[in-house]
Amino acid sequence: MQLESGRSLIEVIGVLAVSAIMTAGAIGMYNSVRTRQQRILAMDTIKQIAMDVKTLMGMRENYEGLSIAYLIKAGALQNNKAPIGGDNWSVSASIDKKSFSINLVDLTNGECAYFAQSVPNWATDLIVNGYNTEQSSHCFSSKTNQISFVSE
């Protein structure tokens, strides 16, 4: 009598199916964690930009002449790359020059919803697609969302 050893084809396919399911779950979790980390890093960068603006412009009593180019020249920014979203972002003074805003553009619905949750403690207002966030988030489903962090 001959003794057989090894695995059947069904067993091998079962092991491969289980490993495929586990791999798909791990990739999904990795993407979720990575996206969350990118948003947290972007929020920290935006906060640092706001603090740098307040430091640079604080003694002038207004924010006249504020721009990304000015912040790069002053050393507050390394380049004009947006922390998140599209590269047409801006940092600008208000009409009365008493406050400034950090304006992000081309945000996805998820990014918009993340930033629209609440006004950060360093900002005085948050405007989402032209609306104050006190009403609702006003995020679009497309990648055309705009958010402005306003600070005095």
Side-chain angles (χ1 to χ4, degrees):
M1 191 175 205
Q2 188 175 8
L3 190 61
E4 293 184 26
S5 65
R7 304 283 179 235
S8 72
L9 184 59
I10 298 295
E11 290 173 325
V12 172
I13 290 173
V15 169
L16 290 175
V18 168
S19 65
I21 291 170
M22 291 176 64
T23 301
I27 290 171
M29 183 183 294
Y30 170 77
N31 287 337
S32 174
V33 168
R34 187 183 66 159
T35 299
R36 180 168 154 53
Q37 195 62 28
Q38 286 174 336
R39 291 174 183 167
I40 290 170
L41 181 61
M43 184 59 96
D44 288 343
T45 302
I46 294 165
K47 178 182 179 182
Q48 187 60 50
I49 292 169
M51 297 302 116
D52 288 348
V53 167
K54 288 180 179 183
T55 301
L56 285 170
M57 308 294 277
M59 300 183 79
R60 295 173 69 184
E61 297 182 10
N62 67 39
Y63 295 101
E64 187 173 356
L66 181 61
S67 67
I68 292 175
Y70 176 81
L71 293 174
I72 291 171
K73 187 187 279 186
L77 288 176
Q78 294 178 356
N79 55 45
N80 64 350
K81 185 166 174 19
I84 197 165
D87 285 331
N88 292 327
W89 72 298
S90 64
V91 179
S92 58
S94 64
I95 294 172
D96 65 359
K97 311 291 188 225
K98 299 290 183 192
S99 63
F100 68 94
S101 63
I102 300 171
N103 311 298
L104 301 175
V105 297
D106 299 336
L107 298 173
T108 65
N109 185 19
E111 292 166 345
C112 179
Y114 176 81
F115 291 115
Q117 288 177 7
S118 63
V119 179
N121 60 358
W122 53 266
T124 54
D125 200 7
L126 183 64
I127 300 170
V128 178
N129 295 320
Y131 294 98
N132 191 317
T133 59
E134 292 176 3
Q135 299 163 5
S136 66
S137 71
H138 297 287
C139 293
F140 302 139
S141 59
S142 61
K143 190 179 175 181
T144 58
N145 293 292
Q146 299 178 359
I147 289 187
S148 296
F149 297 94
V150 180
S151 185
E152 294 179 355

